[in-house]
Structures are given as C-alpha cells and as structure tokens.
Amino acid sequence: MRFVQFRFLKDTIKATRIGLQKKSGGIVDLSDALPNCHSMVDALTKLGGNGLIEIARKNLANKETSSSKCQLLAPITSPDKIFCIGLNYKDTCKELGFTPPEEPLVFSKFSSSITGPFDNIDHPDISKEVFWEAELAVVIGKKGKNLDATTAKDCVFGYTVANDITALDWHKKNGGQWLLGKTMDGFCPIGPSILTADKIADPHKLAISCRVNGQVKQTSNTHQLIHGVYGCIAFLSKFCTLLPGDIVLTGTPPGCGGFTKPPQFLKKGDVVECEVEQLGIIRNQIV
C-alpha cells in the first residue's frame, strides 16, 4: 500500500488528509475511516502500523479522487525524531577516501526541515554552498527500545524517498557540529508516499539516483549500504526509544555536490529530483 498525506486543491480550510494512492495515481481519502487521526504520525501512534493497514484495506474500494485535484504533502510531518546516517555507502567512502565507519555515524534534523515532495525550497541567504543528497528513508511503525535486527525489522512501517539537503559552509562551521548545515527550513523534502514494508522484498536491493536539471549526479544501489536498515534501527534503539512516525535517513551514495571535484552547489532555479526504485520521485525547485 502507498500512504500519502494530501489536501484537496479546492479545500479552503486546507485540511491535511490521509489517503491511499492507487496504481492509477488516484487517491482514496481515508478521512471518514480515520475520524480521530489528523496526520500519519497520529494514525501510527493511535493504531500502529498493522492497525492502520487493516483499516486502509477495508476501504480500498472507496471512491478515488484524481491526483490533479490534490496537493501531495510530505507523507510524514512533525515526527518526534529524524535520524540521519552519514558515510553509509561503500562507494561513497571509496569516493571520499574514508575508512567505512565501524558503527553508524548518526546526526539529526529538526522536523521543521521537512517539506513536500514537489514543494519549492528557499535557498537560504546565509549559505552559498547548498547541495543535494538522495536517500532511502525508513518510517517507524511502532515503539521500540533495545532492539536486535529481527525485532527492528518488525518496527518498520514503510519506506519513502528523502533529500538530505546540506549547506556545506555551515556543515563545517559551528565547532564542527553538523546540525545547522543540515536542518534549515526545507532541507528535508520527503515523499511522494510511504510504501509499506510488505511491498519491499529487500530494502538493500533498490536503485537510487539524483538528477539536477535533468543531469544525473548520483546513481547507486542500496546494496552498497555499510550498515543495513535493520542494523541502523537496532543501533539507534539502544540510545533512545523509537516512536511511530520517526524517520531514519539511511545515507547517500557518491556524487553529492559538496564533495565532487570541483564542488557543485545549487542555485535559484535549479530542479532537483531524487528517486528510489519502487518508491518514486521527489522533485523540488530551488527558489
């Protein structure tokens, strides 16, 4: 199943709705079936991933609305936590000449950095070195603490596409802390939907790519991950309790602009597309 958050274009209230996107692209509105759930995080918290899927399954045959009448929003908004894993592709470490980390290299973003899969992104005036990082993102479906790889797999609700946009100049400043260069407004576009985990046979066998103005900048496969999806989740759960709706960005392949030779940075008017096999494409213009 593909879960989305969306708005009807003619809705003057601009209410956020939870829906299912069908193969046709049409959207089944689940609002009536989820009267007490006002967001995906809310639904996952109250119902759990399995409970949400069961309700959605019972409403699959409901009326579809054309996607042309809807605005797709980020499929997760206001999560409790956004985890990011750095230097997690073998080919990225090779490109940079780094030794692969022995354990996941963890940093974070604020939830205010999340934006929609097709939203414009403001280029921050305080940076001249903004670049792209295509990533596979994992959505947590139930509470978990001190997990192993098996129980970590059970906590995955689904997968989506993310772009870990970075301001390299601020990535290097502030005493070497990465946060400010990672968490500016709009620096975490995600979407276009959440594909449930049961539809992905192996998250470690997915093609991933990024294009800027139609030119391929990144291309790889998640089989290059150093620390796999379940290993990262288990590692994170040793330090803090994972909650429904939490997001884990699993790392980026080689070719992100800040580390190419010479470096390549985004400017106003550029269009960035990030794609993960089976999950779809997010497309954002820098303005």
Side-chain angles (χ1 to χ4, degrees), residues 9-40:
L9 292 178
K10 291 186 177 181
D11 183 1
T12 56
I13 300 175
K14 296 184 177 181
T16 297
R17 298 170 180 268
I18 300 171
L20 283 176
Q21 190 163 41
K22 306 294 281 291
K23 289 183 178 180
S24 64
I27 296 173
V28 175
D29 184 12
L30 297 176
S31 299
D32 290 342
L34 301 168
N36 298 313
C37 299
H38 306 293
S39 69
M40 278 296 297

Side-chain angles (χ1 to χ4, degrees), residues 91 207-210 216-221 253-255:
D91 45 2
I208 181 170
S209 62
C210 177
V216 175
K217 299 295 185 180
Q218 294 180 282
T219 181
S220 187
N221 192 289

Side-chain angles (χ1 to χ4, degrees), residues 15-81:
T16 297
R17 298 170 180 268
I18 300 171
L20 283 176
Q21 190 163 41
K22 306 294 281 291
K23 289 183 178 180
S24 64
I27 296 173
V28 175
D29 184 12
L30 297 176
S31 299
D32 290 342
L34 301 168
N36 298 313
C37 299
H38 306 293
S39 69
M40 278 296 297
V41 171
D42 193 23
L44 287 170
T45 301
K46 292 176 178 177
L47 302 170
N50 291 337
L52 178 57
I53 289 171
E54 184 58 30
I55 288 175
R57 186 173 288 117
K58 293 177 181 178
N59 289 271
L60 274 173
N62 289 7
K63 178 184 175 182
E64 291 182 36
T65 299
S66 169
S67 59
S68 64
K69 298 180 179 180
C70 304
Q71 176 192 2
L72 282 181
L73 309 174
I76 288 283
T77 42
S78 300
D80 188 74
K81 295 179 283 297

Side-chain angles (χ1 to χ4, degrees), residues 48-256:
N50 291 337
L52 178 57
I53 289 171
E54 184 58 30
I55 288 175
R57 186 173 288 117
K58 293 177 181 178
N59 289 271
L60 274 173
N62 289 7
K63 178 184 175 182
E64 291 182 36
T65 299
S66 169
S67 59
S68 64
K69 298 180 179 180
C70 304
Q71 176 192 2
L72 282 181
L73 309 174
I76 288 283
T77 42
S78 300
D80 188 74
K81 295 179 283 297
I82 304 173
F83 298 103
C84 305
I85 310 298
L87 296 175
N88 200 30
Y89 275 72
K90 299 169 189 173
D91 45 2
T92 297
C93 288
K94 182 177 180 180
E95 175 193 48
L96 299 176
F98 292 166
T99 300
E102 293 184 4
E103 59 189 19
L105 177 60
V106 181
F107 60 96
S108 65
K109 289 175 175 276
F110 296 145
S111 62
S112 56
S113 67
I114 290 177
T115 194
F118 307 111
D119 290 350
N120 290 338
I121 296 173
D122 291 329
H123 192 295
D125 293 334
I126 59 173
S127 176
K128 296 181 179 179
E129 297 182 352
V130 176
F131 65 95
W132 57 87
E133 296 189 24
E135 309 216 5
L136 168 69
V138 185
V139 179
I140 301 299
K142 68 178 183 179
K143 188 175 181 180
K145 176 69 173 174
N146 290 322
L147 305 169
D148 58 26
T150 300
T151 51
K153 183 177 181 179
D154 294 337
C155 282
V156 176
F157 175 68
Y159 300 91
T160 191
V161 183
N163 186 353
D164 174 21
I165 297 178
T166 302
L168 183 62
D169 36 11
W170 283 97
H171 181 82
K172 295 176 178 178
K173 293 180 182 180
N174 202 231
Q177 296 288 331
W178 293 3
L179 181 65
L180 294 182
K182 291 286 189 177
T183 199
M184 298 184 192
D185 291 348
F187 271 27
C188 191
I190 60 173
S193 62
I194 300 169
L195 183 61
T196 50
D198 61 301
K199 300 300 182 182
I200 299 289
D202 186 348
H204 309 100
K205 294 181 179 179
L206 301 173
I208 181 170
S209 62
C210 177
R211 297 176 292 277
V212 178
N213 301 326
Q215 183 177 357
V216 175
K217 299 295 185 180
Q218 294 180 282
T219 181
S220 187
N221 192 289
T222 55
H223 67 64
Q224 291 281 339
L225 286 171
I226 297 165
H227 303 287
V229 168
Y230 313 129
C232 287
I233 293 171
F235 180 79
L236 294 168
S237 75
K238 298 180 187 304
F239 299 91
C240 55
T241 302
L242 305 183
L243 298 176
D246 284 351
I247 304 172
V248 183
L249 276 63
T250 57
T252 195
C256 52

